[in-house]
Amino acid sequence: MTPASKPLQVWRTLVLMGSAWLLSCSAQAQLSSSISTSTVDIPVVGEKCNERVQQVSSVTGQLQMPSSALPVSAVVILHSNAGIIGVGSFYAKALNAAGIATLEVDSFTPRGIQDARDRTAPVLCDRLQDAWGALLYLSKDTRIDASRIGITGFSSGGALTVMTGMGVRPRRLHRRDGPMPAHLVYAAHFAVYPSCANLMDDPVRIRAWINPGKPQNWGATQKRIHIVSGTQEDFDFDPRTDCLRMAQEFPDIAPYLSVRLIEGATHAFDWPTPPPPAFNPNAKAQTGGMVRMRYSEKDALETRQEMLDFFMAQLKKN
């Protein structure tokens, strides 16, 4: 290349880079305009467990519908004890871009609380009402294929995701002539750092009412359950084995359960602005402990892609 031709080559490179940037912005704008967003009312089914919790007939959710050929598949998104903090929308964007509708459930605002530190916050067995209510809501939307609805959640939302795969329903929910038909179940479950020890090792507040054979456990749904957690998950006793141990603790879900452990990842590894380390009374099966949360963009992006691949495979048309 001659010295005189170098400025021309640089100019051409800048033009190409600028064109690529404009095309990228145009594609993002087209994607945003092709997604319709609405706030919807989700029925609360079953009965609350905690008398301190405000009784509501519905909670709200953000429904995002892609402009794909109808009916589409959908994924329900359940937040953590921190509430709606942007983590759900991070995953929803990728799912929406792939033509999957999303419904992110807000279990806190309609009950008048900000996060789980409030003593009137709903506990897991209360929030089950919302998780199953979201499925009931979507199953009645003619734009959604009721046989292709999945569920995902983070932390406590991840625990709820696992519980729906186990077949645990809100307490005192009638199996016959009730609001939830027995055959209506989620088609796939993707749980992100669900604090596995809390599900297995709290014999009074959790394990006592989710064990197979209990009235509210209608039996495993026989649908895939995938868990992603980190090897530095402080909510667990032994983060390298606790989620894997779930197959032995709950053999009914063992054939459908898979687990991926992320080396070095903490709780909430996909939250860009996590709080500093602090004592959490809910850690280690409600016995309490220090909990670290450290953001990892790499782990977050890899898990989002993993979630997308999982639901694309599990929710595909037959």
Side-chain angles (χ1 to χ4, degrees):
M1 180 182 296
T2 64
S5 65
K6 285 184 179 180
L8 180 61
Q9 183 63 32
V10 170
W11 179 82
R12 286 174 175 169
T13 301
L14 291 173
V15 169
L16 289 172
M17 291 174 62
S19 299
W21 179 81
L22 288 173
L23 287 172
S24 175
C25 291
S26 175
Q28 291 181 12
Q30 289 177 2
L31 175 60
S32 298
S33 63
S34 65
I35 304 295
S36 65
T37 302
S38 58
T39 300
V40 301
D41 291 326
I42 299 166
V44 170
V45 298
E47 294 188 20
K48 65 179 184 178
C49 304
N50 189 336
E51 290 305 317
R52 296 193 304 267
V53 176
Q54 180 180 339
Q55 184 67 54
V56 294
S57 60
S58 65
V59 292
T60 56
Q62 180 171 279
L63 177 62
Q64 302 205 157
M65 287 289 302
S67 59
S68 307
L70 301 178
V72 298
S73 58
V75 171
V76 169
I77 300 174
L78 304 178
H79 60 69
S80 69
N81 280 357
I84 303 292
I85 53 175
V87 173
S89 62
F90 168 75
Y91 291 90
K93 288 177 182 177
L95 295 169
N96 295 154
I100 300 173
T102 56
L103 175 58
E104 184 170 15
V105 180
D106 184 353
S107 292
F108 287 171
T109 305
R111 292 184 172 97
I113 66 169
Q114 290 186 332
D115 57 46
R117 291 174 296 182
D118 192 310
R119 67 184 300 272
T120 63
V123 294
L124 287 180
C125 62
D126 296 310
R127 291 182 59 194
L128 266 177
Q129 302 172 92
D130 310 344
W132 287 110
L135 177 61
L136 183 63
Y137 175 87
L138 289 178
S139 71
K140 295 181 178 180
D141 190 327
T142 58
R143 299 171 299 172
I144 305 292
D145 184 341
S147 67
R148 296 191 294 135
I149 301 174
I151 184 170
T152 187
F154 319 98
S155 190
S156 57
L160 289 163
T161 297
V162 174
M163 290 161 60
T164 59
M166 293 172 61
V168 183
R169 307 284 181 127
R171 70 174 191 167
R172 299 180 186 174
L173 189 65
H174 299 292
R175 296 196 188 201
R176 295 183 180 180
D177 303 322
M180 285 295 301
H183 68 272
L184 187 59
V185 297
Y186 284 102
H189 314 74
F190 192 103
V192 188
Y193 42 87
S195 307
C196 295
N198 281 4
L199 285 171
M200 297 181 292
D201 300 322
D202 179 359
V204 177
R205 283 170 287 191
I206 300 179
R207 183 65 181 264
W209 53 269
I210 68 173
N211 270 343
K214 293 290 183 177
Q216 64 272 15
N217 192 322
W218 294 11
T221 63
Q222 301 182 356
K223 304 295 184 181
R224 280 288 310 281
I225 302 172
H226 185 63
I227 295 173
V228 176
S229 192
T231 62
Q232 293 186 19
E233 170 57 83
D234 288 334
F235 273 87
D236 287 336
F237 289 109
D238 185 348
R240 292 187 180 274
T241 63
D242 281 348
C243 289
L244 296 171
R245 182 163 53 91
M246 194 171 289
Q248 286 73 48
E249 296 285 340
F250 302 111
D252 287 354
I253 66 171
Y256 318 102
L257 179 67
S258 56
V259 176
R260 182 174 79 91
L261 297 176
I262 304 176
E263 186 64 38
T266 67
H267 195 76
F269 60 79
D270 50 5
W271 186 4
T273 56
F279 179 85
N280 191 307
N282 297 318
K284 303 185 188 311
Q286 319 298 320
T287 62
M290 291 295 295
V291 174
R292 298 161 296 172
M293 301 183 193
R294 183 174 57 250
Y295 176 61
S296 168
E297 182 181 22
K298 174 179 178 293
D299 293 335
L301 290 171
E302 287 181 353
T303 301
R304 183 170 69 170
Q305 185 62 49
E306 183 178 5
M307 179 187 293
L308 176 60
D309 293 343
F310 175 81
F311 283 125
M312 289 294 288
Q314 297 300 315
L315 303 181
K316 64 183 179 183
K317 292 182 180 180
N318 293 329

